[in-house]
Amino acid sequence: MSHSTYNIQWNEAQNHIKELLEYEAAPETQKPETDRVSAFQTAAVIYIKYIQVFRKLEECYYQIVHPQKRIVLKHVLDGTMGRLLELKNEMVNLEFSEYHFFDDVLSDMKLTPADIEIPVPRYFTQDNEKDIKDRMKLMAETLAKYRLDETSDKKEEIKMSLEEAIKIIQVHERARQGCLRAKFMREIRAQEEREKMLAMQGASTMDPDVASTIIQKVWKGYSQRNKTLKLREEELIFIGMQPSSDTPTHHKDSPVSKVSKREEERVLIQAQHEREYQDALVNIKEKIREAEGPDIKENMQDQIRQWFIETRDATGKFPDYPSDDEGGSAAIFKTKNGEGGEEGAEGEGGKKKGKKGKKKKGEKKEKKKKGKKKGGKGKEGGGDDEEGFKMVPSMFIPGIEEASSTYEDIWKHRDETENFQQKYDAELIKELKRGEVESEIRVQVDDLMRQELKNLKAALQKDMGKKGGKGSAKKKGGKKKDKKGGKKGKKDKDLTPDRTIESLYEELVKEGILVQYPKVKISDYMGEYSYLGTTLRQANIEPMPSLSDVRRVITEYGVLPMGSQTVHETAPHVKSIMIAGPHGTGKRMLVNAICSELGANLIDLTAENICGRYPGKAGLTMLLHLVMKVGKLLQPTVVYIGNAEKTFVKKVPKNDMSDPKRLKKELPKIIKKLAPEDRILFVGTSLTPWDADVKSLCQCYQKIVLIPRPDYASRFLLFKELILRNGGRLAPTLDLSSLAKISDGYTPGHIITAVKHVLTERRVQQLHRKPLTALEFVTPLARIDPIYKEEEEQFKAFYDKTTMGKKRQLLLKGDEE
């Protein structure tokens, strides 16, 4: 698409944002809602609208090549993403559930589930591509150095003599010739049998005209049926109900491939324009300094000298020059232009008092407001009907408003007829850099004028015969401030102060703690949307989430906040997640998807992996120090703990030698210490979470995500996509609906195993003459034990014992009463 297309799309997104901000600020929306269902509906509608805006902005940021537009776009994109996460948190607090169902809202808004699919911003990896490649290169070199890479293991060569090799070849060749000879003899015997049968029947007595009529009839029927089937197939392809086999989507001439190629070209242009913009920032700044610097310096000096004279005439003495902490000479002009001449005449002491007084008053007002808000929250949590439910004030809306106003002021009506290539705008750079040059020159001018003021004071004191003592007092005050500012909280002792981050990274790779992971996208975790969730909840039946809901929750908790430092510091902080589900539901795949989408480091602290490494208490302390230090310096980082329930298991089996309780005391402490600026996420997976102490597990893992068995729609989608990905074809003989129906209880892992078992290389080659049938998949599925309903009930019972599960049960009981 063209530059103008994305500009129009950005404009549409900004208009939607404006409408949303007006809607959120409206008195009707701010009014507390007494009905929990109505409050959720309001939050859900806003949430869905923000998703639509987010989708448009993400695509615009990925494809717009103008470097200065992308800066504004990123601010809006991060703000929208943060607001999405805030609304998610609001909905969780309203429903006490990690999963939400929007089928009724989508129906009212005339939207499809595809319209509210949350995309992962591609700038998460695109902007840090160089750092990610450097890390991957260092890991590959370390693995090669210590021979830890499994792919580099060389197979032992089988040694044999020339005579033995010739004998093996002769045996195989004779066997091949024997098979061919047997095949020929079988065909000869079959031909002889046919000839005998014809001789016994005798010559045919049918009239040639009758025979030719029969042949014509059969042939015409066969030909017409083929034409009808072909027309039906073309119609299904045209309306999008069947993929085209002649023009696959990966073909270089297909529309999808052409669009992908164009997108890649725009990304390259984007990078080139960014480099030119960075060079222009330096060059234009130097030109401004050379051309305008002397005049700016002279004007500043004249204004400051004028201030000296005005203050001396008003007070009879020269003023104290503001320190660098107060802004230097910039504070003088702020006072002149802002509060009036009285504060300017009072000097520095008067200014300080005024500022402190204002701050205190402002702080008191803010505290009162916060107290009111906290009181309101407590009432909401207790379910007070009089107060009702009201959304917490957003931390991201001010940023969205600021970026939107920048768009309105600069980009919305800007004439870019002469900037067809969408390169940087030099005038905007001049406006930006002129302020920076003034600030740098101001520092130099302040040094000169402080010396000049010192000389003037010395001359005045000499004339008056007095000595000034304010300077020493001021210095003492400054020292006190420094001492106060230097007091900080206790920091963890650095056990490796003399080591570089590269050496620490290399050590973790060498020990197998920092591991490689396969590159998968979160969209590869396939699952269909649940269309009956709201209907079932209205009938007081708690629905099981679909795989699509799992994908959404992992994106919201594990990917979006971790991808942006700005969002992570301000959005609701999720420090740890536990993914629980039966075998084959894709728990480890989701961990790999989080890492792949972020370009993150993956640290494996599974009990089996750290068993025998860093022994003893001191060794464990060093291990955790290395993990946290590398994780914080090379963000983002995902810390994976497999079989998470074993850490908090009530009784360790005697045959388990991995010491699973090794991290029981330290793990909750580390997770608790994580600050919002630390983009480190702890992710645990569990097959049998009910084996652990539920209270300890919930204290360690902030969010517990339950993965169910796939429903009928998800199984249908899985069979369809997996067959196509493994080289299969969707023929009319393949009844996917029946296959999805009989595979109830089988997980995605089981379905993948069955598909790979059927679609071997030899079977794929036979597809043109022997199409697939559903019966072929029944045998491999029958060899696998499915997930029975009893096991699923165990997961439900476990979740009801968790903190969120208990809240949900209390809410349901309250609704029933």
Side-chain angles (χ1 to χ4, degrees):
M1 289 190 283
S2 63
H3 301 311
S4 60
T5 305
Y6 290 109
N7 288 334
I8 292 167
Q9 186 169 319
W10 185 16
N11 185 42
E12 289 174 357
Q14 288 293 158
N15 291 334
H16 289 315
I17 286 173
K18 190 176 179 181
E19 291 173 5
L20 276 168
L21 294 176
E22 289 174 358
Y23 178 73
E24 288 201 67
E28 294 80 8
T29 312
Q30 294 294 324
K31 188 179 178 182
E33 179 63 60
T34 55
D35 183 25
R36 189 184 290 269
V37 176
S38 299
F40 175 78
Q41 290 288 326
T42 303
V45 169
I46 299 172
Y47 172 80
I48 288 170
K49 287 182 177 179
Y50 268 110
I51 288 176
Q52 292 179 285
V53 172
F54 179 67
R55 287 170 63 86
K56 288 183 179 180
L57 290 174
E58 195 281 326
E59 189 178 359
C60 288
Y61 185 75
Y62 179 58
Q63 287 294 288
I64 283 179
V65 298
H66 197 299
Q68 288 153 302
K69 286 181 182 178
R70 296 183 81 244
I71 293 170
V72 182
L73 251 173
K74 190 172 182 181
H75 287 311
V76 186
L77 183 63
D78 283 349
T80 308
M81 183 162 53
R83 185 63 185 139
L84 263 181
L85 299 176
E86 286 180 335
L87 289 165
K88 168 68 179 178
N89 192 52
E90 291 284 348
M91 292 190 294
V92 169
N93 292 335
L94 282 167
E95 287 201 318
F96 297 123
S97 173
E98 307 295 353
Y99 299 105
H100 314 292
F101 303 99
F102 308 111
D103 39 302
D104 56 337
V105 181
L106 291 178
S107 179
D108 294 341
M109 297 176 72
K110 303 295 187 290
L111 297 173
T112 65
D115 295 327
I116 61 165
E117 190 70 33
I118 301 177
V120 176
R122 283 159 280 198
Y123 82 83
F124 286 176
T125 51
Q126 186 181 331
D127 290 1
N128 304 313
E129 191 174 2
K130 187 177 181 298
D131 294 338
I132 294 168
K133 283 183 178 178
D134 290 342
R135 286 206 307 266
M136 294 299 107
K137 185 180 178 183
L138 179 60
M139 178 175 281
E141 288 174 355
T142 307
L143 290 172
K145 182 178 177 182
Y146 293 100
R147 298 179 182 178
L148 295 175
D149 193 358
E150 295 177 2
T151 58
S152 64
D153 293 343
K154 295 182 179 178
K155 293 181 181 179
E156 294 182 6
E157 293 182 2
I158 300 171
K159 295 180 180 179
M160 64 173 67
S161 63
L162 182 63
E163 291 78 9
E164 289 174 337
I166 291 170
K167 283 181 181 179
I168 291 171
I169 294 169
Q170 285 177 340
V171 168
H172 283 81
E173 179 59 23
R174 285 168 183 164
R176 188 186 68 83
Q177 290 179 3
C179 290
L180 285 174
R181 196 176 295 110
K183 184 181 176 183
F184 292 149
M185 292 303 296
R186 193 161 50 248
E187 289 176 356
I188 290 167
R189 289 196 189 95
Q191 182 65 24
E192 289 175 353
E193 289 291 331
R194 284 195 293 271
E195 288 175 357
K196 284 181 183 179
M197 291 292 292
L198 289 171
M200 289 172 64
Q201 290 176 0
S204 177
T205 57
M206 184 178 289
D207 184 36
D209 293 337
V210 176
S212 61
T213 304
I214 292 171
I215 292 169
Q216 286 176 2
K217 184 175 71 173
V218 172
W219 167 250
K220 284 180 179 179
Y222 171 78
S223 177
Q224 189 59 44
R225 282 192 296 274
N226 280 349
K227 285 180 182 178
T228 305
L229 286 172
K230 191 174 181 182
L231 287 170
R232 184 171 180 272
E233 186 179 355
E234 287 175 358
E235 184 181 0
L236 290 173
I237 291 169
F238 177 72
I239 62 177
M241 292 185 68
Q242 184 175 318
S244 175
S245 56
D246 299 329
T247 56
T249 54
H250 61 267
H251 193 272
K252 64 179 182 178
D253 294 328
S254 67
V256 175
S257 297
K258 287 180 180 177
V259 170
S260 300
K261 188 178 179 182
R262 180 58 186 155
E263 286 180 351
E264 291 170 4
E265 289 172 359
R266 290 182 71 91
V267 170
L268 295 174
I269 295 169
Q270 196 180 89
Q272 182 185 346
H273 286 190
E274 182 64 28
R275 286 193 296 270
E276 292 174 1
Y277 172 64
Q278 295 299 331
D279 294 339
L281 289 174
V282 178
N283 297 333
I284 292 174
K285 185 177 179 180
E286 288 300 321
K287 287 179 182 177
I288 292 172
R289 185 182 282 111
E290 291 173 6
E292 303 177 20
D295 293 337
I296 293 171
K297 185 176 182 180
E298 189 176 343
N299 289 335
M300 283 183 183
Q301 288 176 329
D302 291 343
Q303 289 175 358
I304 294 168
R305 287 191 186 104
Q306 183 65 29
W307 177 65
F308 290 168
I309 295 165
E310 288 175 0
T311 309
R312 189 198 62 185
D313 293 343
T315 61
K317 58 183 180 179
F318 286 108
D320 292 328
Y321 205 93
S323 66
D324 291 335
D325 295 335
E326 294 167 346
S329 57
I332 301 167
F333 304 116
K334 277 182 185 176
T335 306
K336 274 189 173 185
N337 298 329
E339 299 298 327
E342 287 182 10
E343 286 186 7
E346 284 174 6
E348 191 181 353
K351 285 177 203 171
K352 284 183 181 178
K353 285 178 185 177
K355 285 179 184 176
K356 283 180 182 177
K358 283 177 190 176
K359 280 183 182 178
K360 283 178 182 177
K361 286 178 185 177
E363 282 173 5
K364 283 179 183 177
K365 286 180 182 177
E366 281 177 277
K367 282 178 183 176
K368 284 180 183 178
K369 286 180 183 177
K370 283 180 183 176
K372 286 179 184 178
K373 284 175 188 175
K374 283 179 183 176
K377 269 190 183 180
K379 287 177 183 178
E380 284 172 32
D384 195 336
D385 293 335
E386 293 178 4
E387 188 67 25
F389 305 99
K390 186 178 177 182
M391 283 193 283
V392 178
S394 172
M395 301 294 290
F396 289 95
I397 284 179
I400 297 173
E401 289 174 341
E402 185 184 348
S404 298
S405 63
T406 305
Y407 170 77
E408 293 281 341
D409 297 339
I410 299 174
W411 297 110
K412 187 172 184 178
H413 303 292
R414 198 172 191 84
D415 183 14
E416 294 186 285
T417 51
E418 295 182 2
N419 190 13
F420 179 74
Q421 293 184 340
Q422 291 290 286
K423 294 189 176 183
Y424 64 86
D425 193 317
E427 291 302 318
L428 291 175
I429 295 177
K430 286 178 183 177
E431 290 176 16
L432 175 69
K433 291 299 173 183
R434 191 172 283 113
E436 290 183 13
V437 171
E438 285 180 4
S439 300
E440 291 174 5
I441 292 174
R442 190 180 298 281
V443 174
Q444 300 171 6
V445 170
D446 286 350
D447 292 338
L448 293 171
M449 298 312 291
R450 280 195 187 95
Q451 187 62 41
E452 188 174 323
L453 180 61
K454 187 178 178 183
N455 296 336
L456 288 170
K457 282 184 177 181
L460 183 64
Q461 287 171 1
K462 190 176 181 182
D463 292 341
M464 295 175 68
K466 293 180 181 179
K467 293 182 180 179
K470 287 185 180 180
S472 58
K474 189 177 176 183
K475 283 179 183 177
K476 285 179 184 178
K479 283 181 184 177
K480 284 179 183 177
K481 283 183 182 178
D482 290 338
K483 283 179 184 177
K484 285 180 183 178
K487 288 183 181 179
K488 292 180 181 178
K490 289 183 180 180
K491 287 187 176 180
D492 293 333
K493 187 179 178 182
D494 190 356
L495 302 178
T496 54
D498 302 327
R499 293 183 61 182
T500 61
I501 187 63
E502 287 79 10
S503 67
L504 300 177
Y505 188 90
E506 190 175 323
E507 181 179 336
L508 288 176
V509 174
K510 176 188 172 184
E511 294 294 335
I513 305 297
L514 210 155
V515 297
Q516 286 182 317
Y517 51 86
K519 298 291 184 290
V520 290
K521 293 182 178 180
I522 197 76
S523 57
D524 293 335
Y525 189 80
M526 291 177 287
E528 192 54 89
Y529 187 78
S530 177
Y531 293 92
L532 294 173
T534 307
T535 308
L536 290 171
R537 276 190 172 174
Q538 288 172 351
N540 293 327
I541 301 170
E542 189 61 22
M544 286 299 287
S546 68
L547 298 185
S548 173
D549 298 320
V550 174
R551 184 174 67 239
R552 178 185 294 276
V553 168
I554 294 297
T555 304
E556 290 168 332
Y557 287 154
V559 181
L560 294 185
M562 289 282 287
S564 170
Q565 186 69 35
T566 308
V567 174
H568 194 268
E569 289 177 2
T570 316
H573 192 192
V574 177
K575 301 178 183 180
S576 55
I577 305 171
M578 192 185 81
I579 306 171
H583 180 74
T585 48
K587 298 180 291 296
R588 183 59 193 264
M589 180 187 175
L590 288 170
V591 176
N592 294 333
I594 293 171
C595 296
S596 301
E597 296 286 12
L598 299 170
N601 302 302
L602 179 59
I603 294 174
D604 188 356
L605 290 185
T606 304
E608 290 81 1
N609 192 49
I610 62 173
C611 181
R613 295 186 172 96
Y614 298 95
K617 190 175 180 181
L620 181 61
T621 305
M622 176 58 74
L623 170 63
L624 296 176
H625 165 73
L626 291 175
V627 166
M628 297 309 295
K629 187 172 181 179
V630 171
K632 288 179 180 179
L633 292 175
L634 298 176
Q635 300 181 25
T637 298
V638 174
V639 181
Y640 167 66
I641 302 169
N643 298 320
E645 78 283 351
K646 288 186 177 181
T647 309
F648 305 99
V649 74
K650 296 167 186 174
K651 188 177 180 182
V652 180
K654 292 181 180 179
N655 58 352
D656 191 349
M657 307 302 292
S658 62
D659 191 12
K661 287 192 173 185
R662 191 179 179 193
L663 294 173
K664 184 178 180 180
K665 291 182 179 179
E666 300 297 331
L667 193 60
K669 292 178 185 176
I670 291 172
I671 294 173
K672 191 177 180 181
K673 284 182 183 178
L674 289 176
E677 59 269 16
D678 300 329
R679 284 192 292 158
I680 300 175
L681 181 69
F682 284 76
V683 183
T685 60
S686 177
L687 276 170
T688 55
W690 50 82
D691 289 343
D693 178 45
V694 179
K695 186 178 178 182
S696 302
L697 201 67
C698 292
Q699 286 174 350
C700 183
Y701 293 101
Q702 192 177 347
K703 301 290 182 182
I704 295 177
V705 179
L706 201 65
I707 306 181
R709 301 180 302 170
D711 54 10
Y712 168 81
S714 294
R715 293 195 301 274
F716 186 94
L717 178 67
L718 281 165
F719 272 114
K720 179 182 173 183
E721 292 296 328
L722 289 171
I723 287 170
L724 291 173
R725 289 187 183 187
N726 285 274
R729 293 180 185 176
L730 300 178
T733 54
L734 181 60
D735 188 359
L736 284 178
S737 180
S738 299
L739 191 59
K741 189 72 177 174
I742 64 169
S743 58
D744 187 18
Y746 289 98
T747 63
H750 298 155
I751 294 171
I752 290 169
T753 304
V755 170
K756 286 184 176 178
H757 185 272
V758 172
L759 288 171
T760 59
E761 188 178 348
R762 185 165 179 267
R763 183 68 184 89
V764 170
Q765 292 173 352
Q766 296 173 346
L767 288 175
H768 65 282
R769 58 186 177 82
K770 186 182 175 185
L772 282 172
T773 60
L775 193 62
E776 294 179 68
F777 295 92
V778 174
T779 305
L781 282 173
R783 294 175 184 157
I784 304 170
D785 291 331
I787 305 301
Y788 295 104
K789 196 172 182 181
E790 290 77 12
E791 187 174 348
E792 190 172 11
E793 291 299 324
Q794 275 186 300
F795 279 101
K796 284 184 180 179
F798 158 75
Y799 191 76
D800 289 342
K801 293 177 185 176
T802 63
T803 308
M804 188 65 72
K806 286 177 181 177
K807 288 180 179 178
R808 179 69 186 166
Q809 293 302 315
L810 287 171
L811 178 65
L812 293 174
K813 285 179 182 177
D815 290 343
E816 286 174 5
E817 290 173 3

